[in-house]
Amino acid sequence: MDSQHTEDAAHVAEKSSVSWDPKTERRLVWKVDLILMPIMTLTYGIQFHDKLVFNSASVFGMIQDLGLETPVPGTNTFSTRRYSTAAAAFYWGYLAGVLPIALILQKLPAVKALSATIFVWGSIVMLMVLVTNYPGAIAQRFFLGLVESAVAPGFVLLCSMWYTKSELPLRLSIWFSAIGIFNIFTNIINFAIGHAHGSLSPWKYMYLAAGSVTILWSLVVLIVLPESPATSHRWFNEAERAILVARMRGSLSGVDVRKVKWYQIREALRDYKLWSLCFLTAAVTVTNGGVTVFGSLIVKSLGYSSLKALLMQTPGGASVCISLWLTGYLCSRFKNTFTIWIAVSCLPPLVGSIIVWRGSWQHRGLPVFGYCLIPSFAAPYLVMVSFLSANVAGGTKKACATGAVFIGYNVGNIIGPYIVNQDQAGLKYRTTWIVIITVMVLTIISSFVLRILLSRENARRDRDALALHAEVSENVTHEKGSDIDVNGDDSLEGIMHIDKDLTDWEDQSFRYTL
């Protein structure tokens, strides 16, 4: 398969000198959107639904059935520490699998690998109905996370092959917004299933429905989703494929190199951008503990029934969609504003946490409003993913960068469930909101520090390029008949040598997006 891919890529590369007009490119990008975006959006939404079932099932008897709560000695209360640990186990598996799977996806046909993992994860979801105790819940959650770790990194890598860095943020925001869309419909669906009566507990029907849909969807992904611009014979003719490959010149996106290069892994480990974004994604996704995992229990603490608690979380899905679409559009519309929108998009969850913590719970509308702002933490996370993808070049290094972001994502989600203590319900879950406020403030500050560091690096590269330009020009004036092209690839603007699979450190014509 690798040799066939290489031959196809080489053949298209020969055609990549073709010219095209903006209208043709827009039409072609629109065609790519119509094929990729619906599949990616629905797939990511189904994945989110399968995870959110754990939250919904918590108020329909799953905690009691699986022994996920224990009595606190000397009190009439119960500890949900077991529930927190079972929730975190998903991210243990995700953390264990994300980097190895990101590298594996670089070597294997990505779409076929993704389809297989979707089928397996659907099977694991359905197996939850056979779980009867706490250790079983831990095992099921761990392996579910291990398998699902392929999807988001795989989609980021696929998007980076099809879209330029100016197009990337909006496309990532489209499929990532599925978490908001499905947050609305998941709660409504599980509300309906919660009324089911049969031989099984209502929460088990939730898992059976989710798993069966996922298994069927894996076949759709296999049939519809194309592999890469160079090999997408089913959907694009030879001329279209040539344009799709050629238009990626001058962009870090589009590299589809199946060979793992160890020096790029070593470079990734030394790159502060990867470590910084790993830390920031961990900080932001800590918020997930108070939203995805404990959302139903927190809202229920306001005095709502189990069924009503699900419905009251649906506006949070709308806030996710609006924040993701808006930040994705703004990042694509205004050049070099990634770090600014990271900071700005941290404000709604920060304000929401303050409202829930310091506002009165006598009038439930106020804390519910504040709570519905908190899920918009997905927006700064999405901008970070786009930001890192736009600022890393080299096939293997990009895979490592994707893995680094999702390692941070999992570390944050592992910590998240432990910032919520059910015995603090009387204190409005004070610790939860203090932690969220703190990480949002740290993220805002760090985003501007990154902006300053990358601005300085761009300025250094500009100075070096000007010096080289002056040196080459001087040599030309002294060398009669010289054939040096001062306006070629080594000029101030230059192009990114994507066809050579250079990293952003190696290619000095590369400029970092701010």
Side-chain angles (χ1 to χ4, degrees):
M1 181 66 190
D2 286 347
S3 61
Q4 180 62 47
H5 177 276
T6 303
E7 291 173 5
D8 289 337
H11 179 69
V12 174
E14 292 176 358
K15 304 286 185 180
S16 61
S17 59
V18 298
S19 60
W20 65 90
D21 58 78
K23 183 178 180 180
T24 299
E25 184 177 15
R26 286 195 299 271
R27 178 189 61 78
L28 196 52
V29 172
W30 176 241
K31 183 176 179 180
V32 173
D33 287 340
L34 290 177
I35 296 170
L36 265 63
M37 289 300 102
I39 297 296
M40 288 183 171
T41 302
L42 288 171
T43 303
Y44 202 69
I46 290 171
Q47 182 190 44
F48 180 75
H49 173 85
D50 292 352
K51 286 192 296 184
L52 199 63
V53 168
F54 193 72
N55 170 37
S56 301
S58 68
V59 293
F60 283 95
M62 182 189 70
I63 290 179
Q64 293 75 23
D65 290 350
L66 303 184
L68 301 183
E69 66 178 7
T70 55
V72 178
T75 70
N76 294 323
T77 61
F78 288 85
S79 169
T80 52
R81 181 58 58 90
R82 283 188 170 187
Y83 175 71
S84 297
T85 301
F90 175 92
Y91 300 100
W92 301 344
Y94 205 119
L95 184 60
V98 65
L99 189 55
I101 288 178
L103 292 172
I104 290 171
L105 287 175
Q106 189 193 2
K107 293 185 68 68
L108 297 177
V111 172
K112 293 182 177 64
L114 286 170
S115 176
T117 58
I118 293 169
F119 180 89
V120 174
W121 113 48
S123 302
I124 294 174
V125 169
M126 295 186 73
L127 288 174
M128 186 64 172
V129 300
L130 302 178
V131 174
T132 59
N133 53 34
Y134 172 54
I138 293 287
Q140 191 270 352
R141 294 282 293 173
F142 176 86
F143 286 107
L144 185 62
L146 183 70
V147 175
E148 288 194 24
S149 66
V151 177
F155 280 2
V156 172
L157 290 173
L158 279 175
C159 282
S160 70
M161 288 190 282
W162 288 91
Y163 297 106
T164 65
K165 63 180 179 179
S166 63
E167 297 165 348
L168 200 57
L170 182 58
R171 272 65 186 189
L172 293 183
S173 71
I174 289 173
W175 61 259
F176 200 79
S177 67
I179 65 176
I181 299 170
F182 275 71
N183 188 39
I184 297 171
F185 292 107
T186 289
N187 287 314
I188 294 174
I189 291 169
N190 289 335
F191 175 86
I193 296 176
H195 288 87
H197 298 286
S199 58
L200 300 176
S201 298
W203 66 267
K204 292 188 176 182
Y205 290 112
M206 296 177 186
Y207 274 100
L208 288 173
S212 58
V213 170
T214 302
I215 289 172
L216 292 174
W217 185 252
S218 67
L219 301 177
V220 177
V221 172
L222 179 63
I223 295 170
V224 177
L225 204 60
E227 284 282 353
S228 72
T231 60
S232 54
H233 300 276
R234 178 184 302 170
W235 299 109
F236 303 96
N237 59 40
E238 186 173 340
E240 290 175 329
R241 295 199 307 277
I243 294 174
L244 287 170
V245 172
R247 79 187 195 93
M248 305 308 289
R249 292 180 179 273
S251 171
L252 69 131
S253 305
V255 64
D256 179 22
V257 181
R258 297 288 171 89
K259 182 180 179 181
V260 174
K261 297 183 178 179
W262 291 101
Y263 84 90
Q264 292 192 14
I265 295 177
R266 291 191 293 270
E267 181 179 310
L269 292 174
R270 302 197 310 272
D271 194 334
Y272 72 87
K273 297 192 302 296
L274 273 66
W275 291 104
S276 299
L277 270 296
C278 181
F279 167 77
L280 290 179
T281 52
V284 167
T285 52
V286 164
T287 309
N288 208 23
V291 179
T292 302
V293 178
F294 276 89
S296 295
L297 293 175
I298 290 175
V299 175
K300 190 177 178 182
S301 299
L302 296 172
Y304 293 105
S305 66
S306 296
L307 293 172
K308 194 68 177 291
L310 292 182
L311 293 180
M312 296 307 295
Q313 294 175 74
T314 55
S319 75
V320 172
C321 293
I322 293 170
S323 61
L324 286 173
W325 293 335
L326 185 60
T327 53
Y329 169 77
L330 292 172
C331 286
S332 297
R333 177 67 176 81
F334 300 102
K335 187 177 180 180
N336 287 326
T337 57
F338 279 80
T339 50
I340 293 173
W341 299 122
I342 289 175
V344 171
S345 58
C346 285
L347 296 177
L350 190 155
V351 171
S353 298
I354 294 173
I355 291 174
V356 177
W357 177 30
R358 305 303 297 176
S360 171
W361 282 23
Q362 296 298 318
H363 304 284
R364 293 182 295 183
L366 182 64
V368 167
F369 169 75
Y371 179 81
C372 289
L373 291 177
I374 298 172
S376 63
F377 78 89
Y381 168 70
L382 184 277
V383 180
M384 290 175 195
V385 174
S386 303
F387 176 75
L388 191 57
S389 183
N391 282 311
V392 175
T396 301
K397 187 177 180 182
K398 183 181 288 292
C400 291
T402 303
V405 168
F406 288 100
I407 285 173
Y409 168 83
N410 285 284
V411 170
N413 276 288
I414 288 171
I415 297 171
Y418 295 103
I419 71 171
V420 183
N421 297 315
Q422 191 68 19
D423 55 0
Q424 280 195 349
L427 299 174
K428 303 179 183 178
Y429 300 96
R430 179 179 59 190
T431 301
T432 304
W433 315 123
I434 291 175
V435 170
I436 293 175
I437 292 167
T438 301
V439 297
M440 290 300 164
V441 171
L442 287 174
T443 302
I444 291 171
I445 296 171
S446 299
S447 66
F448 287 110
V449 172
L450 268 176
R451 185 177 185 85
I452 293 170
L453 292 174
L454 293 179
S455 295
R456 290 179 175 177
E457 176 59 20
N458 282 346
R460 182 194 67 77
R461 294 188 179 200
D462 285 344
R463 289 193 301 269
D464 291 347
L466 282 170
L468 179 61
H469 183 86
E471 181 181 345
V472 171
S473 298
E474 183 178 354
N475 290 338
V476 169
T477 61
H478 289 88
E479 296 179 18
K480 187 176 180 180
S482 172
D483 59 354
I484 297 176
D485 180 9
V486 297
N487 294 316
D489 289 349
D490 293 323
S491 68
L492 177 60
E493 293 299 324
I495 66 166
M496 295 176 211
H497 306 289
I498 188 172
D499 52 323
K500 298 179 182 178
D501 190 31
L502 299 180
T503 69
D504 51 288
W505 284 12
E506 293 175 301
D507 186 1
Q508 290 299 299
S509 67
F510 187 100
R511 294 297 181 270
Y512 293 106
T513 301
L514 307 178

